[in-house]
Amino acid sequence: MNRAGEEAILAGLVAGGIGPARSRERFLEGEAVRVGVRSLILDSWRRCRTLGLPLGGFELPYRQFDPEDRLVRAAGPVLDRLRYRFQGSPMNIALADGSGTVLQRRFGDDSWAKTLPLIQQVPGFVFAEQFAGTNGIGLALAERRLIQVYGAEHFAERGLVNGCSAIPVRDPLSGRIDGILCLAYPRSSGHPELDAVLRRATQAIQWRLLAQSSARERGLLRAYLDAGGARRTGAGGRRTVEVDGFAQGLHRGDQVLIKERAAELLSHGQRAAIDVTLSDGRRVILVSRPMTSAAGVEGMAVEAMFPGHSPTPPLTLPSHLTPRPSDAASGRGTATAKTTAAKTTAAKVTAATAAETSAAGPPAAGAGHATGGLAGLVLVGEPQVGKYALAARRRMELLSEASASIGTTLDVRRTAQELAETAVPRLADFVTIDLPDAVLRGDEPLDPRHELRRAVVHGIRGECPFYPIGKRVDYHPTTPQLRCVNTGQAVLEPDLKTAAGWLIQDPEHTARLLSHVRSLIAVPLVARGTVLGIVSFYRSHDPAPFGDDDRSLAQELATRAALSMDNARRYTREHTMVLALQHSLLPHGVPDQDAVDVAHRYLPAESRVGGDWYDIIPLPGTRVGLVVGDVVGHGMHSAATMGRLRTAARSFAELDFPPEEVLTHLDNLVLRLDREESSENSADGFGIIGATCLYVVYDPTSQRCSMARAGHPPPALVRPGGTVSFPDLPAGPPLGLGGLPFESAEVEVPEGSQLVLYTDGLIEDRNRGIDVALDRLREVLAHPERTPEDTCQAVLDGVAPAHPCDDIAVLVARTHALAADRTVTWELPTDPAVVREVRAAASRQLADWGHGREEVSFVAELLLSELVTNALRHGSGPIRVRLLHGRTLICEVFDTSSTAPHLRRAAATDEDGRGLFLVAQLALAWGTRHTPDGKIIWAECPLATP
């Protein structure tokens, strides 16, 4: 979409080419939309809905307008240049006034334009937000800044296929919005460079607006004509003058150079002349002379001529009136005072003459050189008009831009880079920023004068030999950089050739730099009393050196940037602390158990750390508990709450509660925590604690899973054949609501299957639906041959969002089954004589397993004897004994009594009460777990190596 020979302006996609379509649908259906839509778009949608605008089919009002409006006259040439730039492309260029009425339209492709609706072809229709809904022109008027609207961000349905960028056109003197310049294009054809094109075009229009003639300037021009300056005869013998005709035939860079030098001459307000060398080597003489209008307005006229041509009337300049180069080019150093104001007056008069005179075609390039001379008026105006007022406005514009462009992220390095990009080239040609290592880590620097490291190097050119990024910088105490740290104020060095303190830093290095830079302002980055680093602004040889105005501006820019950097530093420190806390509260390894092979991953959000957690809990009977959970919110509070919930979940699980009871206990705990937080921190902004959880218990002896969830996504089950399913579990309410029941479900899990547990950050993304994410997860998991580690990595690589907004925890477990020959069960009658039989049967079984002659056989017999005796004396019903031979030997005794035994210390005279004490001394672990029809007392003892 660009002309041959031109750089590509329109290519690629902007915002995916469609905008937030799903969020728009949800908004129009009345749902609350909090994420996925830019705030200014969402605010505009809300205003449109308040106004009762329909989605489509409504007619825009049409208004009569003046085709000779001052804005139309000023913008006409600029719009023509834009049309030429985008020739052959589907670009719709529109100029609207301050009420949103389109005054002019241009098209890159006229044949394409004929396919557009009438309202997008003909000027006069009003696109203000209150009539047209969310669109480029209306939103730029509402937001009063450069905006972009893409696809589904439009409120009206007819705009869904378009993208547009729009920017206000302001009156350069009053600052009011005179109009809007808008570029519209197909939604898939945007490019970030369009913003720069818009800004340059708007600036050109504003200069031309500024150049609209006033009565005072017309009087000065009339006085110039009456004096015979730049005389030319037009139709009917009328004398005319061509104000921009001299420069229009020159190279664009030469035009800018001549106008700038002429503006400098005019700002001095005295008779003077200077030589200007053009890019092709030719010389132009600029001559300024005072004049007074009939109304008594005193001003200056600046004429340009090639050598060999004399102005009319000829001027004789005394040597003391010829300005020195340093006077004529006093520089961008007072850009906020002198040069900018001179440019203002220059631009005023450039267009002022167009209103007073008839235009003539530009001279051919080199015409003056060929004929021996060519003269023309460049500027006429008052030197002091608007000089300091416009200087202050330009200063405010730069500071306003800095407020919007510095601190867009909570990253110290990026914030420093944004400061440099804002200052170049409007204030400086090169910027370097040095920061202590502690600041880059998020810590507070102890001594900012040491341990400085080059963090940013940015300039108009890349060949300037500054210290590279990452290099350690040790400044000499006399350098401007350390002086500014010691004083806390900006230090100005107008001429670095005479700055001894700077030169002594590194003579060889500074000698190389002097061929590129001329003056320096060093400013400390101070925020809340802490020096965070040093920023150095350099200016090269071509513009004027820095002045006091520049020093004040640099100080204010650095102060604003330092606050953003300090916020980023504090955030980095808090983020690091929370992340460290989060990692310290998560499991650091996999516990010893035989039920599953486990792998896990934790991925924090890009900007914030939340409360996701996971755990692997070995349970009695060779079983294992798998749990994942998510605490609502982010930051230190959520991480701390996560740690409390994980500890509680492990405790409840180790008490061998079934999954639904574990969730019930966690629900009660969260409810209590919420009450505590609400009472203690009601004024601190802590909201209600909420969490979700999924708890799975896998038994390798039965190859079955018992699962329960509390508002959490269900797990994925990958069977050995590659089939992926999501078990249909009762949803259960999130933890913290209180009083609502939880239900569990049992699922058969064949040996070699994979259980994949995850948190919602894996599948929730503003750029895609949950169904799409689950389908993608299903595709990634359909590879049962992968190891759990490989599965974890594949899930993060293939399913996790590219820029996660929430934490992600993934837990993958490949199941094993306990072999049938590793389990033995005996059904026993309630007869004390069976104790001896159990001991004998256990001894034989251990011998079959290869442990008949070891100490484990004696310990196992003693444990079984005590446990069976305890069941006979205190239990009821039939008794069942089971031995499990895994990593350890587990002895289990089942009975139908619900009474749990308790360990007690027997007195010396007691005849009983020592059985469980012996069990506790001999076993690695022991305990009781309840079943629907009774209880199980179990004990675990180590196995010697066969």
Side-chain angles (χ1 to χ4, degrees):
M1 298 184 61
N2 52 287
R3 293 184 296 106
E6 290 284 343
E7 57 181 349
I9 298 300
L10 300 177
L13 297 177
V14 179
I18 59 172
R22 184 179 297 272
S23 297
R24 180 178 180 271
E25 294 174 1
R26 291 173 52 202
F27 176 84
L28 297 177
E29 291 173 358
E31 296 183 25
V33 177
R34 295 184 177 86
V35 295
V37 185
R38 293 186 291 157
S39 58
L40 79 162
I41 297 295
L42 187 57
D43 291 340
S44 178
W45 287 356
R46 290 168 178 162
R47 292 193 297 267
C48 295
R49 186 165 61 182
T50 301
L51 293 170
L53 297 179
L55 298 181
F58 57 94
E59 297 295 331
L60 298 183
Y62 181 87
R63 293 177 180 170
Q64 297 293 332
F65 61 94
D66 181 8
E68 296 298 324
D69 181 87
R70 60 187 292 268
L71 178 62
V72 174
R73 296 199 310 272
V78 179
L79 298 181
D80 290 338
R81 288 197 295 270
L82 287 174
R83 177 174 59 183
Y84 179 71
R85 183 186 185 97
F86 297 110
Q87 183 177 351
S89 67
M91 179 64 70
N92 190 338
I93 307 162
L95 175 72
D97 62 16
S99 65
T101 303
V102 176
L103 306 178
Q104 290 282 290
R105 284 198 181 273
R106 303 284 195 279
F107 301 96
D109 186 342
D110 291 335
S111 62
W112 167 79
K114 296 177 182 179
T115 66
L116 297 175
L118 187 64
I119 60 172
Q120 296 182 8
Q121 295 185 47
V122 180
F125 289 97
V126 183
F127 281 83
E129 189 181 76
Q130 61 267 34
F131 301 111
T134 307
N135 69 91
I137 294 174
L139 195 56
L141 282 173
E143 294 291 330
R144 308 179 68 83
R145 60 187 175 92
L146 172 66
I147 60 91
Q148 302 85 21
V149 181
Y150 306 122
E153 289 183 333
H154 288 85
F155 188 78
E157 292 179 352
R158 59 171 166 246
L160 300 184
V161 297
N162 298 326
C164 59
S165 301
I167 188 172
V169 179
R170 298 178 181 271
D171 181 277
L173 295 179
S174 67
R176 72 175 184 271
I177 295 179
D178 276 353
I180 299 292
L181 180 61
C182 180
L183 301 180
Y185 40 82
R187 69 185 184 188
S188 61
S189 302
H191 193 283
E193 191 175 339
L194 286 177
D195 292 351
V197 173
L198 267 177
R199 287 192 175 95
R200 291 194 296 268
T202 304
Q203 187 178 28
I205 296 174
Q206 290 175 167
W207 279 121
R208 295 180 63 83
L209 279 173
L210 187 64
Q212 299 283 355
S213 61
S214 66
R216 298 167 64 91
E217 291 155 350
R218 285 196 298 270
L220 289 173
L221 183 60
R222 177 57 59 188
Y224 176 81
L225 292 174
D226 291 342
R231 197 187 305 254
R232 182 180 175 190
T233 302
R238 182 185 177 191
R239 287 183 306 155
T240 64
V241 62
E242 183 182 4
V243 177
D244 259 345
F246 178 85
Q248 286 178 2
L250 304 176
H251 185 271
R252 182 178 178 182
D254 293 336
Q255 295 181 33
V256 173
L257 177 63
I258 288 177
K259 291 180 181 179
E260 286 183 349
R261 294 301 176 87
E264 293 166 359
L265 273 179
L266 187 145
S267 66
H268 289 300
Q270 59 181 349
R271 187 186 299 267
I274 59 172
D275 279 353
V276 179
T277 302
L278 304 182
S279 59
D280 58 3
R282 290 185 296 164
R283 292 170 51 243
V284 172
I285 299 177
L286 298 180
V287 180
S288 64
R289 57 173 174 168
M291 61 181 55
T292 303
S293 69
V297 177
E298 296 182 355
M300 300 293 298
V302 179
E303 295 175 316
M305 66 178 182
F306 286 103
H309 182 87
S310 299
T312 303
L315 298 175
T316 303
L317 299 177
S319 60
H320 69 278
L321 291 181
T322 303
R324 298 185 301 274
S326 59
D327 295 332
S330 56
R332 195 180 52 185
T334 53
T336 53
K338 297 178 181 178
T339 306
T340 306
K343 291 179 181 179
T344 303
T345 309
K348 281 184 179 181
V349 180
T350 301
T353 332
E356 181 74 16
T357 65
S358 61
H369 193 67
T371 60
L374 177 67
L377 175 64
V378 179
L379 297 176
V380 61
E382 300 175 78
Q384 298 300 324
V385 172
K387 177 190 286 188
Y388 295 107
L390 189 57
R393 180 172 174 271
R394 294 299 184 193
R395 177 188 181 113
M396 292 303 297
E397 284 181 350
L398 180 57
L399 292 176
S400 176
E401 181 179 329
S403 299
S405 59
I406 299 177
T408 59
T409 66
L410 289 172
D411 180 83
V412 175
R413 290 183 184 272
R414 181 57 198 160
T415 303
Q417 183 69 32
E418 290 169 348
L419 167 60
E421 292 172 354
T422 301
V424 176
R426 298 176 63 179
L427 173 63
D429 294 321
F430 302 95
V431 173
T432 65
I433 300 178
D434 306 308
L435 303 175
D437 290 333
V439 172
L440 297 175
R441 293 192 306 266
D443 299 329
E444 187 168 324
L446 298 178
D447 188 351
R449 294 170 296 183
H450 303 291
E451 298 185 0
L452 288 170
R453 196 172 299 278
R454 181 59 48 86
V456 172
V457 177
H458 184 69
I460 57 176
R461 298 183 300 273
E463 74 277 7
C464 199
F466 291 104
Y467 292 135
I469 293 176
K471 180 178 175 58
R472 178 79 174 269
V473 181
D474 295 318
Y475 284 112
H476 191 275
T478 60
T479 57
Q481 284 82 0
L482 283 196
R483 285 162 50 204
C484 77
V485 172
N486 294 332
T487 62
Q489 299 296 322
V491 173
L492 169 65
E493 290 288 355
D495 188 358
L496 288 176
K497 291 182 179 180
T498 61
W502 181 78
L503 293 170
I504 202 175
Q505 167 69 23
D506 184 346
E508 182 180 351
H509 179 69
T510 53
R512 294 197 305 270
L513 275 179
L514 283 175
S515 62
H516 297 271
V517 297
R518 177 180 183 180
S519 58
L520 162 69
I521 299 176
V523 190
L525 293 165
V526 183
R528 303 177 179 95
T530 301
V531 179
L532 304 177
I534 302 169
V535 54
S536 302
F537 301 92
Y538 292 90
R539 188 168 283 178
S540 60
H541 292 276
D542 292 337
F546 285 120
D548 289 332
D549 290 342
D550 301 304
R551 178 172 57 182
S552 300
L553 181 57
Q555 177 91 49
E556 193 158 357
L557 279 175
T559 300
R560 296 191 179 199
L563 288 174
S564 297
M565 292 176 64
D566 191 51
N567 290 337
R569 178 189 66 82
R570 290 168 182 262
Y571 168 79
T572 300
R573 180 179 61 182
E574 180 181 350
H575 182 77
T576 303
M577 292 172 59
V578 174
L579 192 59
L581 174 63
Q582 177 84 331
H583 281 294
S584 68
L585 296 175
L586 291 173
H588 295 284
V590 178
D592 293 336
Q593 46 80 37
D594 296 321
V596 292
D597 293 333
V598 181
H600 48 76
R601 293 288 189 278
Y602 171 74
L603 181 65
E606 279 194 342
S607 59
R608 300 174 295 176
V609 177
D612 291 14
W613 91 90
Y614 56 87
D615 208 348
I616 305 102
I617 309 168
L619 298 175
T622 69
R623 298 170 303 143
V624 65
L626 306 173
V627 59
V628 292
D630 183 4
V631 175
V632 174
H634 297 83
M636 186 75 72
H637 184 251
S638 296
T641 303
M642 176 274 292
R644 300 167 77 175
L645 289 185
R646 179 186 168 233
T647 302
R650 173 173 281 269
S651 300
F652 295 142
E654 289 178 344
L655 290 174
D656 224 337
F657 293 132
E660 66 274 14
E661 291 190 25
V662 169
L663 295 184
T664 299
H665 288 294
L666 286 176
D667 183 49
N668 294 333
L669 174 63
V670 172
L671 199 59
R672 288 195 300 271
L673 292 176
D674 178 42
R675 290 170 183 162
E676 294 174 5
E677 296 291 348
S678 298
S679 60
E680 295 178 4
N681 304 303
S682 57
D684 296 336
F686 290 120
I688 296 175
I689 298 174
T692 65
C693 185
L694 169 65
Y695 182 43
V696 176
V697 176
Y698 172 67
D699 188 347
T701 63
S702 63
Q703 300 180 43
R704 295 186 67 82
C705 269
S706 179
M707 311 177 184
R709 62 187 180 118
H712 201 87
L717 175 59
V718 185
R719 299 184 184 274
T723 303
V724 181
S725 62
F726 299 92
D728 186 15
L729 304 182
L735 301 177
L737 296 183
L740 298 176
F742 297 94
E743 299 180 48
S744 63
E746 285 200 356
V747 179
E748 184 178 354
V749 181
E751 182 179 10
S753 299
Q754 284 191 349
L755 284 166
V756 182
L757 289 70
Y758 52 90
T759 55
D760 57 2
L762 178 69
I763 58 175
E764 290 186 357
D765 183 15
R766 67 184 63 180
N767 298 319
R768 67 181 179 189
I770 292 181
D771 293 340
V772 175
L774 289 176
D775 290 341
R776 179 56 183 156
L777 179 60
R778 193 189 305 271
E779 294 174 5
V780 170
L781 293 178
H783 297 275
E785 73 282 357
R786 288 182 178 142
T787 65
E789 287 287 344
D790 293 340
T791 300
C792 270
Q793 195 59 47
V795 167
L796 291 184
D797 293 342
V799 184
H803 304 283
C805 299
D806 195 7
D807 293 15
I808 298 174
V810 179
L811 184 63
V812 178
R814 185 188 296 280
T815 62
H816 297 295
L818 190 63
D821 59 357
R822 293 287 179 171
T823 304
V824 61
T825 304
W826 300 294
E827 298 287 343
L828 305 177
T830 56
D831 183 358
V834 300
V835 176
R836 178 166 52 87
E837 298 176 6
V838 169
R839 291 168 62 99
S843 178
R844 290 192 299 270
Q845 185 62 53
L846 287 172
D848 293 341
W849 285 338
H851 302 285
R853 295 183 180 181
E854 300 174 2
E855 181 183 351
V856 64
S857 179
F858 170 76
V859 173
E861 291 179 27
L862 183 56
L863 291 176
L864 282 173
S865 177
E866 293 297 334
L867 294 180
V868 172
T869 300
N870 188 77
L872 289 171
R873 295 186 61 181
H874 302 288
S876 62
I879 297 173
R880 186 169 73 253
V881 175
R882 185 170 71 163
L883 292 183
L884 302 175
H885 182 227
R887 187 182 301 271
T888 60
L889 180 66
I890 300 174
C891 306
E892 297 180 337
V893 178
F894 298 73
D895 65 57
T896 58
S897 172
S898 60
T899 303
H902 297 282
L903 180 65
R904 68 183 180 89
R905 184 178 294 276
T909 58
D910 290 343
E911 295 183 359
D912 56 8
R914 296 176 178 84
L916 289 181
F917 179 77
L918 289 175
V919 172
Q921 295 299 312
L922 295 174
L924 290 175
W926 74 280
T928 304
R929 73 175 184 267
H930 292 274
T931 63
D933 53 359
K935 68 176 182 298
I936 301 172
I937 305 176
W938 59 271
E940 182 178 352
C941 60
L943 289 173
T945 304

